[in-house]
Structures are given as structure tokens and as C-alpha cells.
Amino acid sequence: MADYNFSALQLSLSLYSASRLLIQQFQIRLNELHLTYPQYLVLSILWEEDGLLVNKIGQKLHLDSGTLTPLLKKLEGMNYVKRNRNEADERTVSIQLTYPGKSLQSKTAELLKPLEAAFSVIENPELSTLNHYLKSLLGNMESFKNKN
Amino acid sequence: MADYNFSALQLSLSLYSASRLLIQQFQIRLNELHLTYPQYLVLSILWEEDGLLVNKIGQKLHLDSGTLTPLLKKLEGMNYVKRNRNEADERTVSIQLTYPGKSLQSKTAELLKPLEAAFSVIENPELSTLNHYLKSLLGNMESFKNKN
DNA sequence: TCAATTTAAATTGTATCAAATCTAATATTC
DNA sequence: GAATATTAGATTTGATACAATTTAAATTGA
């Protein structure tokens, strides 16, 4: 069943391909709202917990300010978030959803319904196993990263 | 054990994060040879089978000419490949490894040894299961892509 | 056969990514 | 408490991704 003769390269290629193909499926549907997949990810994080620091968003998505700063400025330009430099610590910027930004949640949910249905646990029970292994790999990789 | 309450979004985020973190680990080591990860992927494909069409490389990596043409021109600029327009079908270009391009294989293998060791099946038997599920997901996604 | 269609690459334009550097603000340490 | 170090974001730069368009060549079908 499983491939017992594989390399880190093969694993990386599987991850790289699967990742991009799935993101493409999101992107196709998000186009209608003129949202990119990374922009949607950031909004998703904020729908869970509003007012996060740029730093905190970066930790959740494994992205740094080099990616997030221009992305957040675009979201601000579309009036979906506000970027506020904090008084307590002037180095930090926290991100607040605007009303239009909050409203997007239900719109994207509707838009992405077919995708959620196709990749539901009910349709594909093995996906929850896959997700579990992925999170485990993520954990291993973070500790590997700090050691090497 | 597994997460029975997850969404396509969570799966995509796991894939997206794991993919980028693993690629980063490759990239760190490839820097020594001034190679990027996608460039290394293309070379890996050619080490398996030399003389492939741009098209064919694209199929293996799920990349199109928009990404591959400039990448291949860079590899050609570094004298690792030659790009030859075919006489039989002038629309196609096949990619041949040069001698320096072939020589890179052993150099990268040496460079990436620590990574291959850390992500070997012996170290992590569950990775072969993960890779298996990823390939299955890839297959599902390709057919889903053609239907939607 | 030859006009219409399809195909393979190349090109163009927008948006990431990530390493490296920079700036300003806060923490630390002697 | 002033010099040093650290931290959070912003900026810069180079290299993808990928959709859309273009171009040239090959294929098809009436």
C-alpha cells in the first residue's frame, strides 16, 4: 500500500504539488470576491480572533512581515481591515477587521461550499488521517528547524 | 488521534505550511550551490530522464511554461541545461543536461544527506503513509479539477 | 486543401515568499 | 541611566506561481 522506498525529495514534491493544486481550487472560487488565497487565510485567522498583532498572524501562518506587510496593506486598501500601531508598544501593529471584512466570512463560506463538501471528512475519511499526519510533520519540522 | 472535525481550509493550511517549511529546509542547503528549490526539482526530473520536453517537465511538477520558461533560461544561463527547439515539431523545446548539470546530482545528494536522513522512512515510518495519502489526494484533486 | 482549431512555448502582469537590511522602539545589563 | 542588544515591522530584492494573452507551428475536418 504505502511506498516504503521514498525520499525527502519525493515527500517535498508531493507536499508542494498537493498544496498548490488545493490552493488553486480555493483561488478559482475566491476570484469572484477579488481575494487571493493568502489574503483569505489572513481573514480566516482574524474571523477566529480579531485584533491580532502582525507577528501573531505570522506565527499562525508561518509567514513574516516581508509577506504580511504588503498583504495587509492591500486588505486595508480594500477596506477589509484596519492597521493600528499600538500605544503600549509602538513597535507593534494590530489588525482589526472592518465591518466589510467581517461580512466577507459568510460570503466566502457560501462560495467555498462545493470545495468543503468535496473535501469533507464524510466524503473522504482518510483526509482526517492525512491532516493528522501533516500536523505531526509540522511539529517535527519546527523542532528540526531549530536544531539545524 | 485523528481530527474528526476539520475543514478543507484546515487541510489546505496544513499542506501550505508543511510544504513551505520543508522546502525552506531544502533551500537553506541548496543555497551553497546557488540553486533554488524549483530549479533543483527540474534538475531532479532530468537526472531521472534527460531530454524531456518543457511540457513533460511541467506535467511532472504541475507547472506551466509561465513558470518553467524563465526558470529553464536561468538554468541554461548557469550552463546546467541546453534548450533545443525540436526539428520534428518546431513548437516544442527539449531540455538536455550539460556535463556540469549532470555533475550537480552527486553534489546535491551530499548536501542534502542530513535532510534525507532526518526524513528517512527508518527515522519516521509514518512518513511513507503520509506520502501515500498525499499521492492519493493528488490523484483525487486532478480528477476533481477536471470536473469542476 | 486550406481555413479553423488546437497545441507548445513565450510573454506580460499581479501577487506572493523569503532572505537581508533598515528603522524605530523597547529591554537588558553593567 | 546610558550603552548595548533585542524585537516588531517595513523595505528591498530576486525568484517563483499562475492567469491571460500572444505567436508560431501542427493538426483537423469539411
Side-chain angles (χ1 to χ4, degrees):
Chain A
M1 195 69 136
D3 181 0
Y4 289 108
N5 177 23
F6 84 109
S7 60
L9 171 60
Q10 284 172 47
L11 177 63
S12 75
L13 178 54
S14 296
L15 281 169
Y16 174 68
S17 304
S19 166
R20 283 186 298 112
L21 286 182
L22 185 51
I23 289 173
Q24 271 176 38
Q25 290 304 314
F26 275 90
Q27 189 58 69
I28 288 167
R29 291 164 176 81
L30 291 170
N31 282 337
E32 191 174 315
L33 294 173
H34 305 292
L35 279 179
T36 67
Y37 174 76
Q39 288 166 1
Y40 169 63
L41 274 187
V42 168
L43 290 171
S44 299
I45 299 282
L46 293 171
W47 292 329
E48 287 258 333
E49 186 180 354
D50 199 1
L52 289 172
L53 301 182
V54 172
N55 205 12
K56 199 77 185 174
I57 296 172
Q59 282 174 27
K60 286 173 185 286
L61 302 180
H62 306 277
L63 292 171
D64 69 8
S65 64
T67 302
L68 287 176
T69 297
L71 188 157
L72 288 166
K73 283 184 175 173
K74 271 168 213 153
L75 285 180
E76 187 175 44
M78 297 187 275
N79 193 32
Y80 293 143
V81 303
K82 279 263 180 221
R83 299 159 64 247
N84 302 309
R85 204 159 277 274
N86 294 303
E87 287 188 15
D89 185 341
E90 290 274 357
R91 293 171 304 179
T92 66
V93 170
S94 51
I95 310 298
Q96 260 84 36
L97 286 165
T98 61
Y99 181 73
K102 289 175 187 169
S103 306
L104 273 182
Q105 182 167 19
S106 56
K107 290 182 192 164
T108 58
E110 188 61 33
L111 217 60
L112 297 172
K113 255 184 189 165
L115 207 53
E116 290 291 347
F119 291 92
S120 71
V121 178
I122 294 157
E123 286 287 324
N124 317 73
E126 74 279 9
L127 288 185
S128 75
T129 313
L130 173 59
N131 199 45
H132 169 71
Y133 279 125
L134 283 173
K135 288 193 170 176
S136 159
L137 174 63
L138 265 172
N140 291 344
M141 221 131 51
E142 307 224 31
S143 51
F144 179 78
K145 186 174 173 177
N146 297 327
K147 278 193 299 185
N148 294 268
Chain B
M1 194 68 136
D3 181 359
Y4 289 109
N5 176 24
F6 84 108
S7 61
L9 171 60
Q10 285 172 48
L11 177 63
S12 74
L13 178 53
S14 297
L15 283 169
Y16 174 69
S17 303
S19 167
R20 283 185 299 110
L21 286 182
L22 185 51
I23 289 172
Q24 268 177 39
Q25 289 305 314
F26 276 89
Q27 189 58 69
I28 287 167
R29 290 163 177 81
L30 291 171
N31 282 337
E32 191 174 315
L33 294 173
H34 305 291
L35 279 179
T36 66
Y37 175 76
Q39 288 167 2
Y40 169 64
L41 274 186
V42 168
L43 290 171
S44 299
I45 299 281
L46 293 170
W47 293 328
E48 288 257 335
E49 186 180 355
D50 198 2
L52 290 173
L53 301 183
V54 173
N55 205 11
K56 199 75 185 175
I57 296 172
Q59 281 173 29
K60 288 173 185 285
L61 301 180
H62 306 277
L63 291 171
D64 68 8
S65 65
T67 301
L68 288 176
T69 296
L71 188 156
L72 289 166
K73 284 183 176 175
K74 271 168 212 151
L75 285 180
E76 187 175 45
M78 297 188 275
N79 192 32
Y80 292 143
V81 304
K82 278 263 182 224
R83 299 159 64 247
N84 301 309
R85 204 158 276 276
N86 294 306
E87 288 188 14
D89 185 341
E90 292 272 358
R91 293 170 303 178
T92 66
V93 171
S94 51
I95 310 297
Q96 261 84 35
L97 286 165
T98 61
Y99 181 73
K102 288 175 188 169
S103 306
L104 273 182
Q105 182 169 18
S106 56
K107 290 182 193 164
T108 58
E110 188 60 33
L111 217 60
L112 298 173
K113 255 184 188 164
L115 207 53
E116 290 292 347
F119 292 92
S120 71
V121 178
I122 293 157
E123 286 287 323
N124 318 74
E126 75 280 8
L127 287 185
S128 74
T129 312
L130 173 59
N131 198 46
H132 168 70
Y133 278 125
L134 283 173
K135 287 191 172 180
S136 159
L137 174 63
L138 265 173
N140 291 345
M141 221 133 50
E142 307 222 31
S143 51
F144 179 77
K145 186 174 172 176
N146 297 328
K147 278 192 300 187
N148 294 267

